[in-house]
Amino acid sequence: MTDMCGMLWLCATPIGNLEDISYRVLKTLKEADLIAAEDTRHTIKLLNHFEIKTPMTSYHEFNKVEKARYLVEQMKAGVNIALVTDAGTPGISDPGEELVKQCYEAGIKVTSLPGPAACITALTLSGMSTRRFCFEAFLPSDKKERQWILEELKEETRTILLYEAPHRLVRTLEELENTLGNRRITLCRELTKKHEEVWRTTLQDAIARYEAEEPRGECVIAVQGRSFQEKREEKERTWEEMSIEDHVALYEAQGMDRKEAMRTTAKDRGVSKRDIYQYLVGK
C-alpha cells in the first residue's frame, strides 16, 4: 500500500461468527492507514479480538456524503482506507455505496474483498430457486413508496430477499401476506450465530407464530416468487375474456403491424395464425 494515491478496500466482515473473516481481510485491516467503520463502537470489538491497532473513523448513513468527500481527499493524499460495515459486505444496503461512487468520480481505485453477506447466506439456505433472485433489503418506511414496491413484488417471479428488524417483523409479514397472498417463505434468524434458525414455512404460519411470541434477532425473509405457470394461466384467462379482434388490436396499439399482431395473438391462444386470419376475414 505505497502508491502515490491511496485506494479504497471494501472489507467484508462476519455477520455473526468471527471465524468467517478471511485472512485477506485481516491482512488488509492491519495494513490500512485508516479504517472507516459504520459504528466504531461495534468494530472495535472485532479489531480487539484480532489485535488490530489501525486507527478508525466513523462513516455512517448520517454523514455519508460529507464524510465521503473528506475520505476521498485523504485517499488522494495517499491514505489507504479499509471500509467496513457493522456486519457483512460494505455497499450492500449500507452507506458504502456513496463512498464507492465518489471514489470512482475522483479516479480513486476501489477493490472488494469478498466475504459474508446475510442476503446470500439466507438465499443458499432457503431451499428456493437460487438461479434468479431479487434483493429488496429493508422495505422503505414511507407508506406510499412501501406499497408501490409491494405491488411491484406481487408480479415478481424470482426469489425475493428482504431484511427486517425483529420489532417490525410482524407488520412486514402481514403486509406481504395482504399483497402477495399466502406465499411460501424461509425465515432466517441469527445467521451464523449460536441460535441460528432457518424456518421453511408460509406467511400466515409465520404471522401466527410471531403474534404469539416475541421475534428475536435480525431476520432475512426469502419469499417464493410467483410461478410462471400462474402468470400464464392468468394471461390465458384474460385472453379468454377478450375478443380476438381486441386481442389483435392490443398488439397493434403497441406498435406491431397487422401480421405480427395476428401471429402473436395466435401464439398466445395456442392456435395457428391461419385460424386467426380466417376468423377475422369471416367477421
mmCIF file of all heavy atoms in Angstrom, residues 3-20:
data_model
loop_
_atom_site.group_PDB
_atom_site.id
_atom_site.type_symbol
_atom_site.label_atom_id
_atom_site.label_comp_id
_atom_site.label_asym_id
_atom_site.label_seq_id
_atom_site.Cartn_x
_atom_site.Cartn_y
_atom_site.Cartn_z
ATOM 1 N N ASP A 3 1.338 3.298 -3.050
ATOM 2 C CA ASP A 3 1.134 4.126 -4.227
ATOM 3 C C ASP A 3 1.047 5.595 -3.829
ATOM 4 O O ASP A 3 0.720 5.944 -2.697
ATOM 5 C CB ASP A 3 -0.145 3.710 -4.961
ATOM 6 C CG ASP A 3 0.011 2.358 -5.634
ATOM 7 O OD1 ASP A 3 1.147 1.886 -5.753
ATOM 8 O OD2 ASP A 3 -1.008 1.790 -6.025
ATOM 9 N N MET A 4 1.346 6.462 -4.794
ATOM 10 C CA MET A 4 1.231 7.904 -4.550
ATOM 11 C C MET A 4 -0.180 8.276 -4.131
ATOM 12 O O MET A 4 -0.393 9.111 -3.270
ATOM 13 C CB MET A 4 1.625 8.662 -5.828
ATOM 14 C CG MET A 4 3.088 8.541 -6.180
ATOM 15 S SD MET A 4 4.157 9.359 -4.966
ATOM 16 C CE MET A 4 3.734 11.072 -5.257
ATOM 17 N N CYS A 5 -1.166 7.633 -4.773
ATOM 18 C CA CYS A 5 -2.572 7.856 -4.433
ATOM 19 C C CYS A 5 -3.082 6.626 -3.701
ATOM 20 O O CYS A 5 -2.793 5.496 -4.101
ATOM 21 C CB CYS A 5 -3.373 8.098 -5.705
ATOM 22 S SG CYS A 5 -5.091 8.547 -5.408
ATOM 23 N N GLY A 6 -3.816 6.850 -2.618
ATOM 24 C CA GLY A 6 -4.345 5.720 -1.869
ATOM 25 C C GLY A 6 -5.504 5.065 -2.589
ATOM 26 O O GLY A 6 -5.881 5.457 -3.697
ATOM 27 N N MET A 7 -6.087 4.061 -1.973
ATOM 28 C CA MET A 7 -7.231 3.372 -2.571
ATOM 29 C C MET A 7 -8.196 2.937 -1.485
ATOM 30 O O MET A 7 -7.916 3.034 -0.289
ATOM 31 C CB MET A 7 -6.782 2.179 -3.410
ATOM 32 C CG MET A 7 -6.115 1.062 -2.644
ATOM 33 S SD MET A 7 -5.643 -0.317 -3.726
ATOM 34 C CE MET A 7 -7.260 -1.015 -4.094
ATOM 35 N N LEU A 8 -9.348 2.456 -1.928
ATOM 36 C CA LEU A 8 -10.400 2.008 -1.007
ATOM 37 C C LEU A 8 -10.528 0.495 -1.076
ATOM 38 O O LEU A 8 -10.649 -0.079 -2.160
ATOM 39 C CB LEU A 8 -11.738 2.659 -1.373
ATOM 40 C CG LEU A 8 -12.944 2.248 -0.519
ATOM 41 C CD1 LEU A 8 -12.784 2.771 0.913
ATOM 42 C CD2 LEU A 8 -14.244 2.772 -1.123
ATOM 43 N N TRP A 9 -10.541 -0.118 0.103
ATOM 44 C CA TRP A 9 -10.713 -1.569 0.219
ATOM 45 C C TRP A 9 -12.042 -1.835 0.912
ATOM 46 O O TRP A 9 -12.244 -1.413 2.050
ATOM 47 C CB TRP A 9 -9.577 -2.180 1.040
ATOM 48 C CG TRP A 9 -8.208 -1.852 0.532
ATOM 49 C CD1 TRP A 9 -7.553 -0.655 0.642
ATOM 50 C CD2 TRP A 9 -7.332 -2.723 -0.181
ATOM 51 N NE1 TRP A 9 -6.320 -0.730 0.049
ATOM 52 C CE2 TRP A 9 -6.152 -1.987 -0.466
ATOM 53 C CE3 TRP A 9 -7.414 -4.051 -0.601
ATOM 54 C CZ2 TRP A 9 -5.074 -2.532 -1.150
ATOM 55 C CZ3 TRP A 9 -6.336 -4.601 -1.275
ATOM 56 C CH2 TRP A 9 -5.186 -3.856 -1.554
ATOM 57 N N LEU A 10 -12.940 -2.518 0.230
ATOM 58 C CA LEU A 10 -14.234 -2.884 0.823
ATOM 59 C C LEU A 10 -14.052 -4.233 1.506
ATOM 60 O O LEU A 10 -13.862 -5.258 0.837
ATOM 61 C CB LEU A 10 -15.314 -2.970 -0.253
ATOM 62 C CG LEU A 10 -15.498 -1.723 -1.133
ATOM 63 C CD1 LEU A 10 -16.536 -1.980 -2.215
ATOM 64 C CD2 LEU A 10 -15.883 -0.520 -0.289
ATOM 65 N N CYS A 11 -14.101 -4.228 2.833
ATOM 66 C CA CYS A 11 -13.764 -5.428 3.602
ATOM 67 C C CYS A 11 -15.006 -6.072 4.214
ATOM 68 O O CYS A 11 -15.637 -5.501 5.109
ATOM 69 C CB CYS A 11 -12.774 -5.074 4.706
ATOM 70 S SG CYS A 11 -11.180 -4.491 4.081
ATOM 71 N N ALA A 12 -15.342 -7.248 3.743
ATOM 72 C CA ALA A 12 -16.485 -7.986 4.285
ATOM 73 C C ALA A 12 -16.113 -8.559 5.643
ATOM 74 O O ALA A 12 -15.078 -9.217 5.794
ATOM 75 C CB ALA A 12 -16.899 -9.097 3.333
ATOM 76 N N THR A 13 -16.939 -8.308 6.644
ATOM 77 C CA THR A 13 -16.689 -8.797 8.000
ATOM 78 C C THR A 13 -17.804 -9.758 8.420
ATOM 79 O O THR A 13 -18.884 -9.772 7.821
ATOM 80 C CB THR A 13 -16.589 -7.621 8.987
ATOM 81 O OG1 THR A 13 -17.765 -6.805 8.869
ATOM 82 C CG2 THR A 13 -15.350 -6.783 8.700
ATOM 83 N N PRO A 14 -17.587 -10.573 9.433
ATOM 84 C CA PRO A 14 -18.565 -11.591 9.819
ATOM 85 C C PRO A 14 -19.945 -11.018 10.151
ATOM 86 O O PRO A 14 -20.057 -9.915 10.695
ATOM 87 C CB PRO A 14 -17.932 -12.226 11.062
ATOM 88 C CG PRO A 14 -16.468 -12.028 10.867
ATOM 89 C CD PRO A 14 -16.342 -10.684 10.217
ATOM 90 N N ILE A 15 -20.972 -11.792 9.828
ATOM 91 C CA ILE A 15 -22.342 -11.401 10.180
ATOM 92 C C ILE A 15 -22.736 -11.996 11.529
ATOM 93 O O ILE A 15 -23.831 -11.741 12.024
ATOM 94 C CB ILE A 15 -23.360 -11.813 9.091
ATOM 95 C CG1 ILE A 15 -23.335 -13.319 8.848
ATOM 96 C CG2 ILE A 15 -23.095 -11.059 7.804
ATOM 97 C CD1 ILE A 15 -24.363 -13.811 7.844
ATOM 98 N N GLY A 16 -21.855 -12.761 12.109
ATOM 99 C CA GLY A 16 -22.136 -13.357 13.416
ATOM 100 C C GLY A 16 -20.912 -14.088 13.943
ATOM 101 O O GLY A 16 -20.309 -13.685 14.927
ATOM 102 N N ASN A 17 -20.509 -15.121 13.262
ATOM 103 C CA ASN A 17 -19.392 -15.954 13.690
ATOM 104 C C ASN A 17 -18.066 -15.329 13.253
ATOM 105 O O ASN A 17 -17.791 -15.192 12.064
ATOM 106 C CB ASN A 17 -19.534 -17.352 13.085
ATOM 107 C CG ASN A 17 -18.587 -18.348 13.710
ATOM 108 O OD1 ASN A 17 -17.435 -18.043 13.983
ATOM 109 N ND2 ASN A 17 -19.072 -19.558 13.951
ATOM 110 N N LEU A 18 -17.221 -14.953 14.207
ATOM 111 C CA LEU A 18 -15.964 -14.264 13.898
ATOM 112 C C LEU A 18 -15.013 -15.123 13.070
ATOM 113 O O LEU A 18 -14.126 -14.598 12.390
ATOM 114 C CB LEU A 18 -15.281 -13.819 15.191
ATOM 115 C CG LEU A 18 -15.987 -12.730 15.994
ATOM 116 C CD1 LEU A 18 -15.174 -12.364 17.230
ATOM 117 C CD2 LEU A 18 -16.237 -11.488 15.148
ATOM 118 N N GLU A 19 -15.191 -16.434 13.088
ATOM 119 C CA GLU A 19 -14.313 -17.306 12.323
ATOM 120 C C GLU A 19 -14.548 -17.198 10.819
ATOM 121 O O GLU A 19 -13.772 -17.740 10.027
ATOM 122 C CB GLU A 19 -14.488 -18.757 12.772
ATOM 123 C CG GLU A 19 -14.022 -19.008 14.202
ATOM 124 C CD GLU A 19 -14.165 -20.459 14.628
ATOM 125 O OE1 GLU A 19 -14.592 -21.286 13.787
ATOM 126 O OE2 GLU A 19 -13.861 -20.766 15.784
ATOM 127 N N ASP A 20 -15.599 -16.488 10.421
ATOM 128 C CA ASP A 20 -15.893 -16.335 8.998
ATOM 129 C C ASP A 20 -15.053 -15.248 8.331
ATOM 130 O O ASP A 20 -15.130 -15.068 7.112
ATOM 131 C CB ASP A 20 -17.380 -16.010 8.786
ATOM 132 C CG ASP A 20 -18.273 -17.203 9.106
ATOM 133 O OD1 ASP A 20 -17.790 -18.347 9.009
ATOM 134 O OD2 ASP A 20 -19.448 -16.985 9.454
#
